Amino acid sequence: MSTNEGKFSGKVALVTGASRGIGAEIAQKLAAGGADFIGVHYANNRDAALKVVDDIKALGSKAVALEAELTKGISGVKKLWAAFEDAVRLELGTVHLDILVNNAGISPVFPFEETSIETVEDTINVNFKAPYFITQAASPFLRDGGRIINISTGFTRVAAPMNTIYSASKGAIETLTLALAPHFASKGITVNAVAPGVTATDMNKDMRATPEGRAEAAAFSAFSRVGTTEDVADIVVFVASEEARWITGQVIDASGGSRL
Ligand SMILES: NC(=O)c1ccc[n+]([C@@H]2O[C@H](COP(=O)([O-])OP(=O)(O)OC[C@H]3O[C@@H](n4cnc5c(N)ncnc54)[C@H](OP(=O)(O)O)[C@@H]3O)[C@@H](O)[C@H]2O)c1
């Protein structure tokens, strides 16, 4: 856990996909930095999300778990945003947001010829449409100096033939990041993407289940190891901080120098 106590005092944050993995680490680090209120979004793992909420509360921040399945398109986004608005209003008496982390993602692994229309639609819904419309919903409530951080992947830079729709969905979010940066700049709000490499989470646990798979995963990075959620979350938390106010419209590599 980082010790950036106070860096995020008074800040209101929403982290999607915060029940597990990278999102849970980001939410906890924002709390460790003194964030006032954190929305912990999840899809199915209610118990895991509630544990993250408890951990955040133990650090002295307010938090709420927000359930929304995002494969179903705009209905999930509307549900999530309505629940977030209600929760913030209840806790703070007014609705505003300082840090939006669009982190929830799915990563189907199929050869190109076997990638179905359902897989394409689900992946685009969760990885691209949801961040697009969550950001649109959040826009009127984002305070000056806010942060929008989209979690991408190193697979936009390195060819991943088994992850075609995943890579393409993240390419779209990187392009959106660039396009939105000038739009939000008048309020001092930065819009950036952070691109992890192989990071030890459930997303790639099958790959890491064998010694060969673990070696392959570690070999991506110049440091010859798999990234940790802390490795990535530390970078996200930096981008979320006041110190990163002069970075916008960028994709920040968080892959430990993968495939340099
Ligand atoms: N891990 C890596 O190696 C890696 C590498 C590059 C980029 N990334 C990116 O980093 C982000 C976080 O990945 P991670 O590895 O931490 O993932 P993870 O451990 O698999 O966790 C995924 C999170 O997203 C939520 N989620 C999954 N499916 C969803 C759906 N259909 N609708 C709404 N929410 C859903 C999950 O909620 P539930 O717990 O309720 O299911 C969970 O909170 C993703 O955008 C991913 O693409 C990861």
Side-chain angles (χ1 to χ4, degrees):
M1 193 63 65
S2 96
T3 53
N4 55 350
E5 250 53 40
K7 198 173 267 203
F8 298 111
S9 290
K11 302 291 186 191
V12 174
L14 171 60
V15 184
T16 68
S19 47
R20 293 183 279 139
I22 293 168
E25 193 77 49
I26 293 167
Q28 284 163 342
K29 282 186 182 286
L30 291 172
D36 189 18
F37 179 93
I38 303 172
V40 174
H41 159 258
Y42 70 101
N44 299 298
N45 283 302
R46 181 176 165 76
D47 288 350
L50 291 175
K51 168 81 170 64
V52 174
V53 165
D54 283 348
D55 291 347
I56 288 172
K57 287 182 176 170
L59 289 163
S61 302
K62 304 175 197 77
V64 66
L66 305 160
E67 184 268 328
E69 170 57 58
L70 296 175
T71 49
K72 301 301 169 224
I74 193 68
S75 61
V77 172
K78 283 187 172 162
K79 181 180 182 186
L80 168 57
W81 188 259
F84 179 72
E85 260 197 66
D86 286 351
V88 177
R89 190 176 289 111
L90 193 67
E91 283 288 355
L92 307 179
T94 176
V95 183
H96 54 254
L97 178 64
D98 301 290
I99 300 165
L100 170 62
V101 186
N102 285 309
N103 166 80
I106 55 173
S107 177
V109 181
F110 293 109
F112 175 62
E113 285 78 4
E114 291 166 31
T115 303
S116 68
I117 183 70
E118 291 77 17
T119 297
V120 169
E121 284 175 350
D122 284 355
T123 309
I124 293 293
N125 277 338
V126 178
N127 294 4
F128 180 69
K129 275 199 211 166
Y132 190 101
F133 288 110
I134 291 168
T135 304
Q136 196 177 76
S139 178
F141 302 98
L142 274 163
R143 291 199 289 194
D144 288 6
R147 300 283 183 263
I148 299 167
I149 303 172
N150 297 318
I151 305 302
S152 184
T153 171
F155 283 172
T156 58
R157 182 170 59 77
V158 173
M162 292 292 284
N163 306 75
T164 51
I165 189 55
Y166 174 70
S167 306
S169 70
K170 296 293 192 176
I173 207 71
E174 290 186 5
T175 310
L176 178 68
T177 298
L178 179 65
L180 283 182
H183 177 76
F184 283 101
S186 61
K187 289 178 74 181
I189 297 167
T190 69
V191 189
N192 290 291
V194 171
V198 184
T199 310
T201 71
D202 293 342
M203 189 169 270
N204 47 48
K205 66 174 186 302
D206 293 344
M207 181 191 196
R208 292 181 294 105
T210 63
E212 299 75 27
R214 279 197 294 281
E216 190 189 334
F220 272 91
S221 163
F223 300 114
S224 301
R225 68 167 174 84
V226 170
T228 65
T229 55
E230 280 222 289
D231 290 331
V232 176
D234 278 338
I235 295 168
V236 174
V237 165
F238 167 68
V239 175
S241 74
E242 170 64 13
E243 284 79 359
R245 64 194 170 277
W246 208 231
I247 305 172
T248 197
Q250 303 304 305
V251 179
I252 293 124
D253 182 85
S255 77
S258 286
R259 296 273 169 86
L260 289 176

